[in-house]
Amino acid sequence: MEKKRCFYSIPAFLMLAGALGCSLYLHGQFLNKDSLLKRLTVSKEDTGKVLLLINLAKAFKNSNIAEAKRYCIDALALSNKLHYNRGRFLSLANEISLIRLEGADSLALEKCKSFVKQAEDARDEYNISAGYLNLGEVYDNIGDNEKAVEYSLKALAIAERLNRKDLLQDAYGSLQRVYISRTEFDKAVIYGKKAIDLAEEMKDMKRVVTQSYNLAFTYNVMKEFDQSFALSKKIIAICKKISEPRIESYALYNLCSISVRNEKNDDAPKYGMQCVELA
């Protein structure tokens, strides 16, 4: 089957991760940098410090990627020293998330393959599934949506067998992104709604707004402007409550795009300027 890739002059999909640090390891918590840094100065060289370093990486993700990477590297080094497998995979997953945010797809692909190999060697099905999800998303980014579907469905099968809601939610989100790349919009909407429903069941608002944005994006592409507009407004309201300015800015950009594509050009500058100011 010939590979297909569609491009639109509207915002791209958001990734949780790393949906793995990807989104799979985010739990909707609020991370205060000052508080975490203060704790770091008195932390012992144990597994608790590994998790603290990973939380610092998450806290710096949107403001200083280089600093966030340094915390991932430190967390990985300590995990290796402690023989702490969970810490290893968390560190690697969050590093992959940062690499993907930078758009370094070739490096992300290499890191994802290494992640899966390590998970397979450890016979860790959870992280095998998580690794497949990231592989699927990176393949989608580089235009190989045949492999993107293959790995996303592999991840979904493991998530269903393990009955892990976080993996299932990310698998639904990944399949939504892949199917819109393949211009299979009906399937994209089905998986998008599943992703949101499960995120709401988990009471994880970070996942809710991320997947809601992706569905709003999908509706925009489909020219279902009223649905895209209403969902974007809902996203902005939630983002203000949970302090998620990055996703809020994407939703504002989406509103600007809807206004232009729907020939409501008087509204476009308003949303565009709000987006710029927030960014």
PDB file of all heavy atoms in Angstrom, residues 18-32:
ATOM      1  N   GLY A  18       5.921  11.230  25.022  1.00  0.00           N
ATOM      2  CA  GLY A  18       6.125  10.554  25.299  1.00  0.00           C
ATOM      3  C   GLY A  18       5.473  10.956  25.638  1.00  0.00           C
ATOM      4  O   GLY A  18       5.818  11.164  26.171  1.00  0.00           O
ATOM      5  N   ALA A  19       3.338  11.115  25.129  1.00  0.00           N
ATOM      6  CA  ALA A  19       2.584  10.255  25.606  1.00  0.00           C
ATOM      7  C   ALA A  19       3.612   9.735  26.127  1.00  0.00           C
ATOM      8  O   ALA A  19       4.162  10.045  26.099  1.00  0.00           O
ATOM      9  CB  ALA A  19       1.802   9.816  25.069  1.00  0.00           C
ATOM     10  N   LEU A  20       4.824   8.656  26.280  1.00  0.00           N
ATOM     11  CA  LEU A  20       5.747   8.181  27.297  1.00  0.00           C
ATOM     12  C   LEU A  20       6.363   9.322  28.054  1.00  0.00           C
ATOM     13  O   LEU A  20       6.639   9.179  29.129  1.00  0.00           O
ATOM     14  CB  LEU A  20       6.865   7.424  26.665  1.00  0.00           C
ATOM     15  CG  LEU A  20       6.531   6.128  26.087  1.00  0.00           C
ATOM     16  CD1 LEU A  20       7.719   5.446  25.560  1.00  0.00           C
ATOM     17  CD2 LEU A  20       5.830   5.342  26.993  1.00  0.00           C
ATOM     18  N   GLY A  21       6.908  10.117  28.038  1.00  0.00           N
ATOM     19  CA  GLY A  21       7.488  11.087  29.028  1.00  0.00           C
ATOM     20  C   GLY A  21       6.997  12.327  28.671  1.00  0.00           C
ATOM     21  O   GLY A  21       6.152  12.903  28.934  1.00  0.00           O
ATOM     22  N   CYS A  22       7.352  11.400  27.890  1.00  0.00           N
ATOM     23  CA  CYS A  22       6.480  10.806  26.996  1.00  0.00           C
ATOM     24  C   CYS A  22       5.198  10.739  27.748  1.00  0.00           C
ATOM     25  O   CYS A  22       5.176  10.829  28.933  1.00  0.00           O
ATOM     26  CB  CYS A  22       6.946   9.424  26.699  1.00  0.00           C
ATOM     27  SG  CYS A  22       7.872   9.059  25.299  1.00  0.00           S
ATOM     28  N   SER A  23       4.103  10.665  27.148  1.00  0.00           N
ATOM     29  CA  SER A  23       2.855  10.811  27.855  1.00  0.00           C
ATOM     30  C   SER A  23       2.586   9.695  28.816  1.00  0.00           C
ATOM     31  O   SER A  23       1.825   9.851  29.731  1.00  0.00           O
ATOM     32  CB  SER A  23       1.732  10.867  26.883  1.00  0.00           C
ATOM     33  OG  SER A  23       1.820   9.769  26.034  1.00  0.00           O
ATOM     34  N   LEU A  24       3.166   8.570  28.646  1.00  0.00           N
ATOM     35  CA  LEU A  24       2.789   7.429  29.459  1.00  0.00           C
ATOM     36  C   LEU A  24       3.170   7.591  30.922  1.00  0.00           C
ATOM     37  O   LEU A  24       2.641   6.916  31.772  1.00  0.00           O
ATOM     38  CB  LEU A  24       3.462   6.163  28.915  1.00  0.00           C
ATOM     39  CG  LEU A  24       3.050   5.816  27.500  1.00  0.00           C
ATOM     40  CD1 LEU A  24       3.722   4.540  27.062  1.00  0.00           C
ATOM     41  CD2 LEU A  24       1.561   5.673  27.378  1.00  0.00           C
ATOM     42  N   TYR A  25       4.099   8.476  31.186  1.00  0.00           N
ATOM     43  CA  TYR A  25       4.539   8.616  32.559  1.00  0.00           C
ATOM     44  C   TYR A  25       4.089   9.918  33.204  1.00  0.00           C
ATOM     45  O   TYR A  25       4.505  10.252  34.297  1.00  0.00           O
ATOM     46  CB  TYR A  25       6.067   8.510  32.626  1.00  0.00           C
ATOM     47  CG  TYR A  25       6.539   7.167  32.197  1.00  0.00           C
ATOM     48  CD1 TYR A  25       7.315   7.041  31.049  1.00  0.00           C
ATOM     49  CD2 TYR A  25       6.167   6.029  32.891  1.00  0.00           C
ATOM     50  CE1 TYR A  25       7.737   5.799  30.635  1.00  0.00           C
ATOM     51  CE2 TYR A  25       6.595   4.790  32.471  1.00  0.00           C
ATOM     52  CZ  TYR A  25       7.382   4.670  31.347  1.00  0.00           C
ATOM     53  OH  TYR A  25       7.794   3.434  30.942  1.00  0.00           O
ATOM     54  N   LEU A  26       3.248  10.660  32.542  1.00  0.00           N
ATOM     55  CA  LEU A  26       2.716  11.884  33.132  1.00  0.00           C
ATOM     56  C   LEU A  26       1.419  11.553  33.849  1.00  0.00           C
ATOM     57  O   LEU A  26       0.573  10.870  33.322  1.00  0.00           O
ATOM     58  CB  LEU A  26       2.455  12.928  32.039  1.00  0.00           C
ATOM     59  CG  LEU A  26       3.708  13.430  31.323  1.00  0.00           C
ATOM     60  CD1 LEU A  26       3.311  14.319  30.166  1.00  0.00           C
ATOM     61  CD2 LEU A  26       4.618  14.178  32.266  1.00  0.00           C
ATOM     62  N   HIS A  27       1.262  12.057  35.021  1.00  0.00           N
ATOM     63  CA  HIS A  27       0.081  11.702  35.805  1.00  0.00           C
ATOM     64  C   HIS A  27      -0.732  12.922  36.212  1.00  0.00           C
ATOM     65  O   HIS A  27      -1.412  12.918  37.224  1.00  0.00           O
ATOM     66  CB  HIS A  27       0.507  10.924  37.049  1.00  0.00           C
ATOM     67  CG  HIS A  27       1.283   9.694  36.721  1.00  0.00           C
ATOM     68  ND1 HIS A  27       0.711   8.588  36.128  1.00  0.00           N
ATOM     69  CD2 HIS A  27       2.601   9.413  36.845  1.00  0.00           C
ATOM     70  CE1 HIS A  27       1.630   7.666  35.944  1.00  0.00           C
ATOM     71  NE2 HIS A  27       2.784   8.138  36.362  1.00  0.00           N
ATOM     72  N   GLY A  28      -0.629  14.004  35.425  1.00  0.00           N
ATOM     73  CA  GLY A  28      -1.474  15.150  35.679  1.00  0.00           C
ATOM     74  C   GLY A  28      -1.073  15.947  36.909  1.00  0.00           C
ATOM     75  O   GLY A  28      -1.819  16.784  37.383  1.00  0.00           O
ATOM     76  N   GLN A  29       0.136  15.662  37.435  1.00  0.00           N
ATOM     77  CA  GLN A  29       0.527  16.382  38.637  1.00  0.00           C
ATOM     78  C   GLN A  29       1.087  17.751  38.285  1.00  0.00           C
ATOM     79  O   GLN A  29       1.563  17.985  37.193  1.00  0.00           O
ATOM     80  CB  GLN A  29       1.574  15.563  39.393  1.00  0.00           C
ATOM     81  CG  GLN A  29       2.816  15.246  38.577  1.00  0.00           C
ATOM     82  CD  GLN A  29       3.695  14.228  39.275  1.00  0.00           C
ATOM     83  OE1 GLN A  29       3.645  14.088  40.480  1.00  0.00           O
ATOM     84  NE2 GLN A  29       4.509  13.541  38.527  1.00  0.00           N
ATOM     85  N   PHE A  30       1.043  18.664  39.269  1.00  0.00           N
ATOM     86  CA  PHE A  30       1.598  19.993  39.074  1.00  0.00           C
ATOM     87  C   PHE A  30       3.006  20.010  39.661  1.00  0.00           C
ATOM     88  O   PHE A  30       3.210  19.633  40.816  1.00  0.00           O
ATOM     89  CB  PHE A  30       0.706  21.031  39.749  1.00  0.00           C
ATOM     90  CG  PHE A  30      -0.689  21.025  39.181  1.00  0.00           C
ATOM     91  CD1 PHE A  30      -1.718  20.377  39.847  1.00  0.00           C
ATOM     92  CD2 PHE A  30      -0.963  21.639  37.980  1.00  0.00           C
ATOM     93  CE1 PHE A  30      -2.997  20.358  39.316  1.00  0.00           C
ATOM     94  CE2 PHE A  30      -2.248  21.630  37.448  1.00  0.00           C
ATOM     95  CZ  PHE A  30      -3.256  20.985  38.119  1.00  0.00           C
ATOM     96  N   LEU A  31       3.983  20.409  38.874  1.00  0.00           N
ATOM     97  CA  LEU A  31       5.374  20.323  39.264  1.00  0.00           C
ATOM     98  C   LEU A  31       5.929  21.714  39.506  1.00  0.00           C
ATOM     99  O   LEU A  31       6.062  22.508  38.580  1.00  0.00           O
ATOM    100  CB  LEU A  31       6.169  19.595  38.168  1.00  0.00           C
ATOM    101  CG  LEU A  31       5.651  18.187  37.828  1.00  0.00           C
ATOM    102  CD1 LEU A  31       6.370  17.628  36.622  1.00  0.00           C
ATOM    103  CD2 LEU A  31       5.828  17.256  39.012  1.00  0.00           C
ATOM    104  N   ASN A  32       6.266  22.011  40.751  1.00  0.00           N
ATOM    105  CA  ASN A  32       6.815  23.306  41.114  1.00  0.00           C
ATOM    106  C   ASN A  32       8.338  23.221  41.103  1.00  0.00           C
ATOM    107  O   ASN A  32       8.939  22.486  41.887  1.00  0.00           O
ATOM    108  CB  ASN A  32       6.312  23.709  42.499  1.00  0.00           C
ATOM    109  CG  ASN A  32       6.794  25.083  42.909  1.00  0.00           C
ATOM    110  OD1 ASN A  32       7.950  25.250  43.269  1.00  0.00           O
ATOM    111  ND2 ASN A  32       5.900  26.061  42.845  1.00  0.00           N
TER     112      ASN A  32
END
